[in-house]
Every structure is written in structure tokens, then in C-alpha cells.
Amino acid sequence: MTFPRMTGLSALLVSAAMLPLAAQAQTYPPSAYQGGAQSQTQVNGSTPLQGAPQQTQQISPQVRADTERAMHYPLPPDFMTRAAATIAELQARNIQPPNSHGTSLSDTIRQISQVPGLAPVLQSHGFTPESFVMGMTTFGMTLAASNGQLPTGMPSPNPSNVALFKAQPEQVTALMQAMGNPPH
């Protein structure tokens, strides 16, 4: 099963938490997650995209710790369904996360929790600011890792999350569609 990369508004929620990790790792340009061209990606265990950047970069200890935290975070089986509904409601209410580029996961969680109206929406879908940021970051990083978009030497995604992606490709697609990334 193939999935597009996250782009534009679709990646805003993920980028609120993930871009600090990815940008500091310098593995791909921010445009890959903010309005860049959509492309096919693999999450079915096949080889990553041809030409997908795989670099060994100097990564700060904070970025490495945040990356390891996200890569080991277990997604609940119903995460993608609840996240898609949450994103749809946030979009309908025009609630946008703050720009947290360059901040740690902890700072991002703190910033997200301060957005007016966001916490009640998260709570109505069974999330806390932490579980939502961690889940969306883990979702994005698992997708990025599946596509060879993280530098070599970074931790592998939680095997249960990879299995979840493989078992629920329709939910992965539905979450990406809710984020504004129709598959192609």
C-alpha cells in the first residue's frame, strides 16, 4: 500500500511536533512537510523511495532524545480513527497549533496545551495534549522512517506501530485524508 507524504495544512499538526526533530536532523527540506509536492511513499516494508535522503548528521542530544521518545511511543489501535476525527473537528473550528519549529517535544506539548479551545476538542476524542502530540509525532515519524526520510543511525519505529500501519492501511489513508493529503 502506498501513501503520499504529508504536505501543506495536512502536516501542520504533525509539524508542530515533528519538524523540530526533522529539521534539526536536516534530512529533508521543510517543504517536504509544508506545501511540497506530494509523492508516493511506502509503509509496507518495501524499500524506501529512490533518492530519499538518508544522511548521518550531527543531532543534538535533545533532538535525539525526542526522536527516541517518539519512535518508541506505542500508538493505540484506535489512534488513527480518533486522530482523524480530532483533526476534522479542529479544522472545522479553525483551531491551529502554534509554530513550534525548533522546540522540544515537551515545549511543543506545553504550547499546544495553551491554544484556546484545543484541549476540550482533544479531550472529547480521548486525547490529552501530550497523547495527541506524541501520537501525531509518532505517526509522522513512523511514516518518515518507513520512507527512509530519517538519517541513518536514528532509532527504528516501534514494531507494533509498523504492524498497526500494515494492519490498518485504510486508517492511515483516512488520517492523511483528514489532514488534507488525499492518496494518489
Side-chain angles (χ1 to χ4, degrees), residues 151-182:
T152 56
M154 294 304 285
S156 296
N158 183 323
S160 65
N161 295 340
V162 174
L164 186 64
F165 272 47
K166 289 179 182 179
Q168 299 181 5
E170 298 84 15
Q171 285 80 6
V172 172
T173 300
L175 177 53
M176 293 186 76
Q177 285 174 333
M179 295 166 59
N181 276 325

Side-chain angles (χ1 to χ4, degrees), residues 75-91:
L75 293 173
D78 65 345
F79 170 77
M80 290 177 276
T81 303
R82 289 187 299 121
T86 303
I87 290 169
E89 186 172 345
L90 290 172
Q91 290 171 340

Side-chain angles (χ1 to χ4, degrees), residues 135-158:
M136 292 304 294
T137 303
T138 299
F139 176 81
M141 293 193 76
T142 300
L143 192 59
S146 297
N147 296 316
Q149 294 176 307
L150 294 179
T152 56
M154 294 304 285
S156 296
N158 183 323

Side-chain angles (χ1 to χ4, degrees), residues 42-63:
Q42 305 274 336
V43 295
N44 62 0
S46 61
T47 58
L49 292 172
Q50 294 298 333
Q54 283 192 328
Q55 306 168 5
T56 302
Q57 299 284 332
Q58 289 293 74
I59 298 172
S60 76
Q62 180 63 54
V63 170

Side-chain angles (χ1 to χ4, degrees), residues 78-151:
D78 65 345
F79 170 77
M80 290 177 276
T81 303
R82 289 187 299 121
T86 303
I87 290 169
E89 186 172 345
L90 290 172
Q91 290 171 340
R93 293 176 183 238
N94 200 28
I95 298 173
Q96 302 271 333
N99 179 355
S100 59
H101 183 74
T103 62
S104 69
L105 277 174
S106 296
D107 287 341
T108 300
I109 291 164
R110 183 182 44 74
Q111 288 177 0
I112 294 286
S113 67
Q114 295 173 354
V115 173
L118 195 139
V121 173
L122 296 180
Q123 186 176 24
S124 73
H125 294 277
F127 291 111
T128 64
E130 180 175 12
S131 67
F132 187 70
V133 168
M134 289 303 302
M136 292 304 294
T137 303
T138 299
F139 176 81
M141 293 193 76
T142 300
L143 192 59
S146 297
N147 296 316
Q149 294 176 307
L150 294 179

